[in-house]
Amino acid sequence: MPLSAPTLEELDLAGKRVLVRVDFNVPRDENGAIRDDTRIRAALPTLRAILEAGGRPICLTHLGRPGGEVREELRVDAVGERLAELSGTVVVKLDESFGEAVQQGIAQAPPGSIVLLENVRFNPGETRGDPELAARYAELGDLFVNDAFGSSHRPHASVSGIAAYLPSAAGRLLQSEIEAFARVLDNPDRPLLAILGGAKVSDKLQVIDNLIERVDALLVGGGMAYTFLAAQGHGIGASLFEEERVEVCRQALEKAEQRGVELLLPLDHVIAERCAEDAPTRTSGLEIPEGQMALDIGPRTRALFAERIAGVATLVWNGPMGVFEMEPFRSGTLAVARAVAACPGYTVVGGGDSVAAVQEFGLAEKVSHVSTGGGASLELLEGKELPGIACLGRV
Ligand code: ADP
Ligand code: MG
């Protein structure tokens, strides 16, 4: 199934009440103040497009994990205030997310304003994907737009339920994510390269399996590389190791070989006795000595990976090459990030930590697409259909 969804342009927005599922689940400090409003900014193109077309946007979002009950500290009032500042538009924040009072509040909202409903996870049926609840949301609008890419892998009532009742489409943010991953996963320009890293093989089993079927080459670094190296019979010392995944790694190596996919593992490593900022480090060759942990890829591997990255038409990167959070083990991830930034092909980075790394290095602008959803992007790379995308445009 190719990855696609109807877009805003396919909806007749003029005069319509448009329910928009956004992801305003912003990081907050201990006092509940917003620490980072990137997610609010990310929804502005969609909200502006709806307003410009004469539509009346009504936003639904979750915030935190209230677990199906009202939690005062998780009300979305502060989010609404920030949305008003950023959009320069009146925001009418309502204290519930469905029902008669909400319908009235929407009817009374001034033209050109944005309505923001209360935290949808106050409703017990939200995370269960309750169709009754989705129907109650649907009563509030004429159209539905999903723009919450970061939640689109969750079959929740406000994410994938409303489209059963209303004509629907992807918002601008979701559309840009869909286009980026489609460019990697469906008919990519070749050669197509995937770079995989991160902590564990077990977190990425399906990603590995799915990508081997699609890519021309696969670079593996990070903690997961050592179970692969162990599967090849190499000494990995005290590096991260998942014994119960050795067989899966063997199968992946075999599958890559059968399909003519070049699978490259680290040739050298940055090693230390412990994983700490102040741990003395050394570079080792392929074999890792007893008692030593490999915590980053070594200089030869960095050069090899950078050289491969330079020559591809399309690439996708998920997972850091080492423990990049600590200064002594960040060179590998930095080298890969620089190579990705310099790559003239189409480049996509997805995954919570990999995206954080690219942003921290100040290189996000040089990547063709930096995904806004860690879990959702991982599921796309696993080859899964996301409920928040699959539901769109069906009525
Ligand atoms: P993403 O969020 O991009 O999908 P993951 O969550 O899979 O990435 O992995 C990120 C984590 O992997 C980081 O916290 C990093 O410290 C850890 N990691 C990377 N390389 C190693 C390694 N060699 N040993 C232990 N942990 C590692
Ligand atoms: Mg992560």
Side-chain angles (χ1 to χ4, degrees), residues 236-240 270-282 288-296 323 326-329:
I236 60 161
S239 307
L240 214 153
V270 176
I271 58 170
E273 266 174 26
R274 54 200 170 83
C275 183
E277 287 277 359
D278 62 350
T281 63
R282 284 192 288 139
I288 299 160
E290 282 301 314
Q292 298 282 326
M293 295 176 185
L295 295 164
D296 196 5
V323 182
M326 295 183 194
E327 174 60 34
F329 314 115

Side-chain angles (χ1 to χ4, degrees), residues 233-315:
H234 295 294
I236 60 161
S239 307
L240 214 153
F241 176 56
E242 293 167 277
E243 194 172 0
E244 66 287 2
R245 301 298 180 202
V246 170
E247 193 46 44
V248 183
C249 289
R250 266 203 208 105
Q251 285 164 6
L253 288 161
E254 212 167 276
K255 185 167 163 180
E257 185 163 344
Q258 282 165 0
R259 295 185 152 260
V261 171
E262 191 180 22
L263 194 158
L264 295 182
L265 292 163
L267 315 165
D268 62 348
H269 322 278
V270 176
I271 58 170
E273 266 174 26
R274 54 200 170 83
C275 183
E277 287 277 359
D278 62 350
T281 63
R282 284 192 288 139
T283 298
S284 88
L286 184 52
E287 303 299 322
I288 299 160
E290 282 301 314
Q292 298 282 326
M293 295 176 185
L295 295 164
D296 196 5
I297 55 175
R300 285 181 59 212
T301 309
R302 277 173 235 153
L304 172 70
F305 283 10
E307 180 212 305
R308 290 306 156 107
I309 290 166
V312 299
T314 310
L315 78 78

Side-chain angles (χ1 to χ4, degrees), residues 198-199 203-204 318 320 351-354:
D203 292 339
K204 310 269 164 96
N318 167 274
D353 293 289
S354 351

Side-chain angles (χ1 to χ4, degrees), residues 99-241:
E100 240 163 73
V102 174
Q103 281 186 356
Q104 277 174 22
I106 291 169
Q108 287 160 8
S113 64
I114 299 171
V115 173
L116 174 63
L117 306 183
E118 188 53 273
N119 192 343
V120 290
R121 289 203 188 160
F122 287 176
N123 305 319
E126 171 62 21
T127 57
R128 264 193 285 119
D130 180 5
E132 302 279 324
L133 177 61
R136 302 305 304 276
Y137 296 142
E139 288 167 5
L140 307 171
D142 306 303
L143 302 170
F144 173 67
V145 169
N146 183 17
D147 212 21
F149 175 68
S151 300
S152 289
H153 56 313
R154 309 209 182 275
H156 295 176
S158 67
V159 177
S160 58
I162 304 175
Y165 307 98
L166 300 175
S168 56
R172 295 269 196 266
L173 173 68
L174 180 57
Q175 187 192 341
S176 75
E177 295 278 1
I178 290 172
E179 285 169 1
F181 283 93
R183 222 169 137 172
V184 170
L185 297 169
D186 306 326
N187 284 319
D189 286 341
R190 292 186 182 272
L192 167 64
L193 173 78
I195 311 160
L196 279 181
K200 291 196 264 152
V201 174
S202 45
D203 292 339
K204 310 269 164 96
L205 290 173
Q206 277 172 279
V207 177
I208 297 167
D209 202 53
N210 183 45
L211 288 178
I212 288 177
E213 291 173 12
R214 295 167 192 265
V215 301
D216 301 295
L218 181 60
L219 310 181
V220 177
M224 69 158 77
Y226 307 104
T227 303
F228 274 93
L229 289 173
Q232 290 182 329
H234 295 294
I236 60 161
S239 307
L240 214 153
F241 176 56

